[in-house]
Amino acid sequence: MLREFLFPLVKYFTPFNVFQYLTFRSAYAALTTLLICFLFGPVIIEALKKLHVGQSIRADGPQTHLAKAGTPTMGGAFIILSVVISMLIWMDLGSWRVWLTLGAFVALGLIGFMDDYLKVTRHNSDGLSGWAKLAGQFAVALVVMVILYIYGEEGSTYLYLPFFKNPVADMGILWIPFGILLIMGESNAVNFTDGLDGLLAGIMILVFITLTLLTYLTGRVDYSEYLGIPYIAGAGELTVFCLALVGACVGFLWFNAHPAEVFIGDVGSLPLGGVIAIVSLIIKKEILVLIVGGVFVMEIASVIIQVVSYKLRKKRVFKMAPIHHHFELSGWAETKVVIRFWILGGLFAIIALSTLKIQ
């Protein structure tokens, strides 16, 4: 918004020229979300306490988590609020890709809000039914994929693999169900990762820093040509969105660090996971994002393995799934699990970025 209003005035005041620069707007989008979280986080947390919006703890979970019962949840709401405000200030209002991503972000947040609301009103960990949640995610993902398929540029349905410069296939209409599966899978994988103080927020910071670099490089003709990656006109504007999310996650981590003052809830985890997939689909990094979010893949894979093993063999592979709880029950302190998973997240990010030149 500031770009549209202030940049045309550059002929009267030359410093307004900075509003044309993507890096400037991205940096201040991050600073805006960070400040909003810092300033309004305590107010929102206090309001959640007064509304008795407390977390219900699974009876079969680690016993150390019982002390967390009653901690305010739905903290993801101020991540969404800060990002929406920041984007309306700093984004290019003519970017349909950003509007689409932002709209899906809010829509998935509403699904998560309904799930969290039912949990706190019922005073247990049962929110929306599994099928209802999946149906909502499917509807959002379907709308996103149809729009991307119709309005995407030539080559939007190509599939690229890490370490390979050229596309390996043109998926055509099959790109739509592929994208739906990726959006729903990433959304739920991130949801499974949310379980320890600071775990999800810390990994999200690493993931969105990586996506910030990828969107910036993809949106530049010179850099994308040098690296041999597909150039997507207008994709660079997603850099503002990704860096705004970095600032929001840092601001949220301030209150979510152990011992957590607030939990993110499904209102935060579902949309965060969904937009990771949507951004990757836009910049043609659908497979690479599985490396970027390697921790999320580990988490959802552990749940699938556990469920399948128990149904087929009546035996559990892990002491508890998702896998971060397995390590807790194996004797690791919660903070040790969190920090080691952050380290893994950083390693996955480095591996993903290294593939840009090794191809």
Side-chain angles (χ1 to χ4, degrees), residues 83-104:
V83 170
V84 170
I85 293 173
S86 178
M87 292 306 295
L88 291 178
I89 295 172
W90 298 106
M91 70 179 279
D92 176 358
L93 296 179
S95 174
W96 68 268
R97 291 180 179 85
V98 177
W99 279 116
L100 178 63
T101 308
L102 188 62

Side-chain angles (χ1 to χ4, degrees), residues 240-264:
V240 183
F241 181 77
C242 290
L243 210 51
L245 279 166
V246 172
C249 289
V250 171
F252 179 77
L253 182 59
W254 182 271
F255 303 102
N256 185 237
H258 185 76
E261 300 173 56
V262 65
F263 297 139
I264 195 168

Side-chain angles (χ1 to χ4, degrees), residues 21 205 356:
Y21 295 116
I205 293 168
L356 297 181

Side-chain angles (χ1 to χ4, degrees), residues 5-16:
F5 283 109
L6 298 181
F7 180 58
L9 301 177
V10 69
K11 55 186 177 182
Y12 306 111
F13 188 62
T14 53
F16 284 157

Side-chain angles (χ1 to χ4, degrees), residues 179-212:
I180 292 172
L181 183 62
L182 184 65
I183 294 170
M184 294 177 65
E186 195 74 37
S187 182
N188 285 294
V190 169
N191 190 29
F192 285 133
T193 307
D194 177 32
L196 303 179
D197 295 354
L199 174 60
L200 181 58
I203 296 173
M204 277 296 173
I205 293 168
L206 297 168
V207 169
F208 281 114
I209 288 175
T210 307
L211 288 177
T212 296

Side-chain angles (χ1 to χ4, degrees), residues 146-305:
V146 169
I147 292 175
L148 288 179
Y149 182 79
I150 294 174
Y151 295 102
E153 61 288 314
E154 183 181 358
S156 62
T157 58
Y158 290 171
L159 181 66
Y160 290 83
L161 295 180
F163 304 108
F164 290 86
K165 183 176 295 186
N166 298 317
V168 296
D170 183 354
M171 300 188 71
I173 194 69
L174 293 178
W175 189 63
I176 293 179
F178 169 78
I180 292 172
L181 183 62
L182 184 65
I183 294 170
M184 294 177 65
E186 195 74 37
S187 182
N188 285 294
V190 169
N191 190 29
F192 285 133
T193 307
D194 177 32
L196 303 179
D197 295 354
L199 174 60
L200 181 58
I203 296 173
M204 277 296 173
I205 293 168
L206 297 168
V207 169
F208 281 114
I209 288 175
T210 307
L211 288 177
T212 296
L213 294 172
L214 292 174
T215 53
Y216 183 72
L217 295 172
T218 303
R220 289 280 300 254
V221 176
D222 48 357
Y223 291 159
S224 58
E225 183 178 350
Y226 171 71
L227 293 169
I229 60 177
Y231 164 68
I232 310 295
E237 196 64 30
L238 287 167
T239 304
V240 183
F241 181 77
C242 290
L243 210 51
L245 279 166
V246 172
C249 289
V250 171
F252 179 77
L253 182 59
W254 182 271
F255 303 102
N256 185 237
H258 185 76
E261 300 173 56
V262 65
F263 297 139
I264 195 168
D266 284 9
V267 67
S269 60
L270 292 183
L272 287 172
V275 296
I276 289 174
I278 293 169
V279 170
S280 73
L281 287 158
I282 293 173
I283 64 174
K284 306 311 303 168
K285 298 294 184 290
E286 302 98 323
I287 304 301
L288 185 64
V289 80
L290 300 179
I291 300 177
V292 176
V295 172
F296 307 141
V297 175
M298 286 171 44
E299 295 279 18
I300 196 168
S302 69
V303 173
I304 294 171
I305 291 170

